[in-house]
Amino acid sequence: MCGIIGHVGTGNALETLLTGLENLEYRGYDSAGVAVQNGSGIAVQKRSGKVEELKESIRDAHLEGCVGIGHTRWSTHGPPTDTNAHPHTDETTDVAVVHNGIIENYAELREWLCTRGHEFTSDTDTEVIPHLIQYYLDEGSESEAAFRRAIDELEGSYAVTAMISGEHVLYAARKGSPLVVGVEDDEFFLASDVPAFLEYTDSVVYLEDGDVVIVDDGGVEFTDLEGNPVTRDPETVDWDPEQAGKGGYDHFMLKEIHEQPTSLAQAVEGRIDPENGRIALENFESGTFEGVESVQLVACGTSYHAALYGSLALNQAGIRSKALLANEYSVSAPPVDDDTLVVAVTQSGETADTLNALRRAARAGARTLTVTNVVGSTAAREADDALFIRAGPEIGVAATKTFSSQVVMLTLLAQRIADDCLGAPPADLEMLLPELARLPGTIETVLEQSDAAAVASRFQECQSYFFIGRGLGYPVALEGALKFKEITYEHAEGFASGELKHGPLALVTPETPVFAIFTGQEDEKTLKNAEEAQTRGAPVVAVCPDDHRAVDIADAHLKIPETDADISGLLANVQLQLVSYHAADLLDRPIDKPRNLAKSVTVE
Ligand code: M6R
């Protein structure tokens, strides 16, 4: 889950590398570094901490050259120290390498190299790569052959970019970790993800597992590991750099919360026909899901909450379904057969746990589908089919707009599956689709009128924050709590409303505000549960429409417009996103980069 950037061009590479690293910091921010061909060899500058600190340290370094690589790290092997930061080199700094992924056989390779006189300085798995390349160079291999031979030795997952002293060339390879190439005239970029170089180009080639590319002044050569040419066509991405920047907001998270009207409009565009009560999902023709007997949704974190929402929607539509934590799937997967559809829900499409669950399901014979934000991601490519949520780049580590787009996508998918499998569209489609078409406007209203900042301030000094919901409100309660704890570092928990009385009520005090989510599904029971907490001293914050009965008893109110119960939770979720954001802002937390976390978790 680290970020890689590489540049070969005509101008000074350093600026491009640093911009790329800043754009990639959401992938990890334990340490950062760059290496540049500076005319007399490879110059490396790296240190623990954020890219900002690297920039400070670089002021006096001589790092001029038009070929370079950079890296921002989320530690897996070894703590986030200066030494463990990438790029890594051999002893002579003739070879520099940046790497994302895990080299599973690094211990054996390291030992093998040590017995041949190589000395290591870091705790990382990555350091074996420059040493291996150097070993094969010393043996007499040409640079490209030495790179290929080194890559051939690696077991595990990697996106690797390497440079060799004195050459205007970058060598790169991908297996199990993402790597993309950007091209703009005679400027070439390599990166873990597109936002790294969006300022410079929107022309992108997504590499496949097993690809090896050689980038020099003349262009990019795409090959397989043996050196046979492969064809990789460029695609134009419709994300612009401004979209990937903060756009005037203090934080990416706030910007992304406010982007939801747009991202949700994109999610449903061309997919719903409210007038005729129809859903059209690209190449999923009517009848595509016929024969599906049950659906398993696998995901982690926020995506798991969206998956849970989707599975409840499927069950309510009459389709047997279960959401499962992808990291538990290997030990607790329910049986699958070819009538089982397994849906991987993943914003990045690169989450290792989710990819493993997807692969396990495919091996067991299930039909697979990925719901993701990232075209060209591993999950999108490995599943039988993919559906894209079209949310645009999400930079804040805390997922916001992608959750709501996932929920909308899964809601549409649930209806489509039910339609195909049960032979008739579920009864409420004619109610739901017009509300989905109105959803961007309804969310705009929530954003404009929200009292979340005042509510966050009022309960700022509390000890613990509880979130309760029932039915489709339950995953929203879980997501509300995750968002709150993730960015405020305060204790927060989500519960099914009915569960409070089975234990958690023991924790309730005047210092534990309870955010009660009312989505129109058995609201009277949720109201009773909220009152039970209130009787024991907890302040209740009702998240519900203006004329709801809960407003009369609540200590505070976060207003949502009336809408279809199938999507009402999304409006509540926006209010809860804002509460978390403002609470974290009052505490002066690093909202876009909460401690210990990373946007894309590519390790198990
Ligand atoms: O990229 P994914 O959706 O697969 O990521 C899964 C989780 O790591 C992610 O949803 C995480 O929980 C959120 N960033 C938290 O806000």
Side-chain angles (χ1 to χ4, degrees):
M1 72 181 58
C2 308
I4 289 176
I5 174 82
H7 179 228
V8 177
T10 48
N12 189 357
L14 185 60
E15 195 186 319
T16 314
L17 299 180
L18 292 175
T19 308
L21 291 183
E22 279 173 334
N23 292 345
L24 286 174
E25 259 195 312
Y26 66 92
R27 298 182 66 85
Y29 36 84
D30 285 345
S31 60
V34 290
V36 172
Q37 296 274 10
N38 70 354
S40 55
I42 294 175
V44 178
Q45 189 75 10
K46 58 184 191 171
R47 57 177 297 139
S48 62
K50 301 210 164 88
V51 175
E52 199 48 49
E53 289 159 61
L54 172 72
K55 277 170 103 176
E56 280 293 310
S57 76
I58 251 165
R59 280 206 187 130
D60 304 323
H62 178 58
L63 285 173
E64 284 185 12
C66 30
V67 178
I69 54 179
H71 189 270
T72 177
R73 177 169 185 247
W74 190 81
S75 323
T76 52
H77 290 82
T81 59
D82 289 358
T83 320
N84 286 338
H86 298 217
H88 288 284
T89 65
D90 63 310
E91 296 100 330
T92 54
T93 322
D94 274 345
V95 181
V97 165
V98 287
H99 160 232
N100 176 22
I102 294 189
I103 307 302
E104 285 165 6
N105 59 338
Y106 87 99
E108 299 101 89
L109 290 172
R110 189 171 166 137
E111 201 185 319
W112 185 83
L113 286 157
C114 285
T115 57
R116 281 152 184 83
H118 286 251
E119 284 176 19
F120 286 77
T121 53
S122 79
D123 309 313
T124 67
D125 52 345
T126 303
E127 200 185 349
V128 296
I129 307 174
H131 283 271
L132 272 176
I133 297 173
Q134 184 60 57
Y135 175 82
Y136 289 120
L137 286 171
D138 290 346
E139 260 204 343
S141 292
E142 296 293 324
S143 302
E144 184 182 327
F147 178 75
R148 286 182 192 283
R149 290 179 73 183
I151 293 297
D152 202 29
E153 300 277 350
L154 307 180
E155 286 169 18
S157 64
Y158 51 78
V160 171
T161 301
M163 56 199 246
I164 295 172
S165 182
E167 297 183 1
H168 272 227
V169 185
L170 291 182
Y171 302 90
R174 175 202 154 128
K175 183 183 153 210
S177 291
L179 198 60
V180 295
V181 177
V183 181
E184 184 70 31
D185 302 327
D186 49 3
E187 303 287 324
F188 305 98
F189 310 87
L190 277 155
S192 319
D193 202 354
V194 177
F197 50 64
L198 264 182
E199 275 92 343
Y200 308 105
T201 184
D202 59 3
S203 177
V204 172
V205 182
Y206 294 94
L207 297 187
E208 307 260 344
D209 276 354
D211 284 357
V212 172
V213 299
I214 297 109
V215 187
D216 63 19
D217 302 336
V220 188
E221 192 188 338
F222 298 93
T223 68
D224 63 15
L225 193 53
E226 285 76 44
N228 305 306
V230 294
T231 308
R232 299 283 174 257
D233 295 323
E235 294 176 30
T236 305
V237 290
D238 59 3
W239 299 355
D240 60 41
E242 205 196 328
Q243 243 186 316
K246 279 193 201 147
Y249 289 92
D250 287 344
H251 298 94
F252 282 113
M253 182 184 178
L254 190 59
K255 173 179 173 252
E256 286 155 8
I257 290 171
H258 280 267
E259 279 173 351
Q260 287 175 104
T262 309
S263 52
L264 290 171
Q266 288 168 184
V268 297
E269 195 185 331
R271 288 171 168 165
I272 59 171
D273 177 358
E275 274 163 31
N276 297 305
R278 276 211 301 267
I279 293 171
L281 298 181
E282 288 90 74
N283 38 2
F284 295 84
E285 314 243 303
S286 183
T288 312
F289 296 108
E290 223 169 274
V292 168
E293 298 265 323
S294 69
V295 182
Q296 295 175 6
L297 299 101
V298 291
C300 304
T302 290
S303 293
Y304 170 73
H305 300 149
L308 184 57
Y309 200 112
S311 81
L312 297 176
L314 277 157
N315 288 333
Q316 287 173 14
I319 302 293
R320 256 189 301 137
S321 163
K322 192 158 175 55
L324 297 131
L325 285 168
N327 33 64
E328 286 287 304
Y329 196 72
S330 57
V331 285
S332 65
V336 299
D337 55 29
D338 54 7
D339 294 332
T340 314
L341 176 68
V342 174
V343 183
V345 185
T346 164
Q347 184 284 130
S348 61
E350 303 294 347
T351 300
D353 290 331
T354 308
L355 289 174
N356 285 343
L358 183 69
R359 288 168 186 154
R360 185 190 165 91
R363 279 198 305 276
R367 179 173 168 185
T368 57
L369 167 69
T370 288
V371 172
T372 184
N373 194 29
V374 182
V375 178
S377 61
T378 307
R381 283 186 286 161
E382 288 195 7
D384 296 330
D385 293 295
L387 274 170
F388 299 102
I389 62 171
R390 306 174 181 160
E394 187 176 71
I395 308 298
V397 165
T400 51
K401 62 175 179 171
T402 54
F403 172 78
S404 50
S405 295
Q406 285 170 334
V407 165
V408 162
M409 189 73 258
L410 291 170
T411 301
L412 294 182
L413 182 66
Q415 300 300 330
R416 251 328 286 284
I417 293 174
D419 192 358
D420 282 354
C421 296
L422 306 175
D428 62 357
L429 213 50
E430 277 165 24
M431 302 275 289
L432 172 64
L433 295 190
E435 286 304 307
L436 270 174
R438 272 195 287 275
L439 185 62
T442 325
I443 291 209
E444 195 73 69
T445 307
V446 175
L447 290 167
E448 280 164 12
Q449 300 176 354
S450 176
D451 287 331
V455 168
S457 157
R458 178 167 164 192
F459 297 108
Q460 195 191 351
E461 303 294 334
C462 289
Q463 253 173 11
S464 226
Y465 300 80
F466 294 162
F467 297 77
I468 60 169
R470 183 176 293 265
L472 294 171
Y474 172 48
V476 174
L478 295 179
E479 174 57 11
L482 175 63
K483 218 82 310 172
F484 199 92
K485 73 181 85 163
E486 170 178 31
I487 60 168
T488 65
Y489 311 159
E490 296 294 314
H491 178 244
E493 269 191 79
F495 304 102
S497 324
E499 275 294 298
L500 269 191
K501 58 185 178 294
H502 296 290
L505 214 45
L507 296 173
V508 156
T509 72
E511 300 301 311
T512 57
V514 174
F515 290 81
I517 299 153
F518 297 93
T519 57
Q521 296 181 312
E522 299 196 335
D523 277 1
E524 65 293 343
K525 290 188 181 165
T526 301
L527 182 55
K528 205 166 137 287
N529 302 141
E531 284 181 300
E532 285 157 4
Q534 194 180 43
T535 307
R536 284 139 184 103
V540 167
V541 183
V543 191
C544 60
D546 239 352
D547 57 356
H548 198 280
R549 295 177 305 286
V551 177
D552 302 333
I553 68 112
D555 300 275
H557 176 212
L558 289 168
K559 178 174 151 184
I560 55 173
E562 290 277 2
T563 187
D564 192 286
D566 289 332
I567 52 172
S568 170
L570 285 179
L571 305 181
N573 185 56
V574 172
Q575 288 283 24
L576 299 180
Q577 289 171 344
L578 289 168
V579 169
S580 295
Y581 173 81
H582 289 296
D585 201 30
L586 287 167
L587 291 163
D588 207 20
R589 302 292 190 225
I591 290 178
D592 286 329
K593 292 174 193 159
R595 69 185 176 202
N596 306 336
L597 300 180
K599 182 77 179 160
S600 183
V601 185
T602 54
V603 289
E604 282 179 80

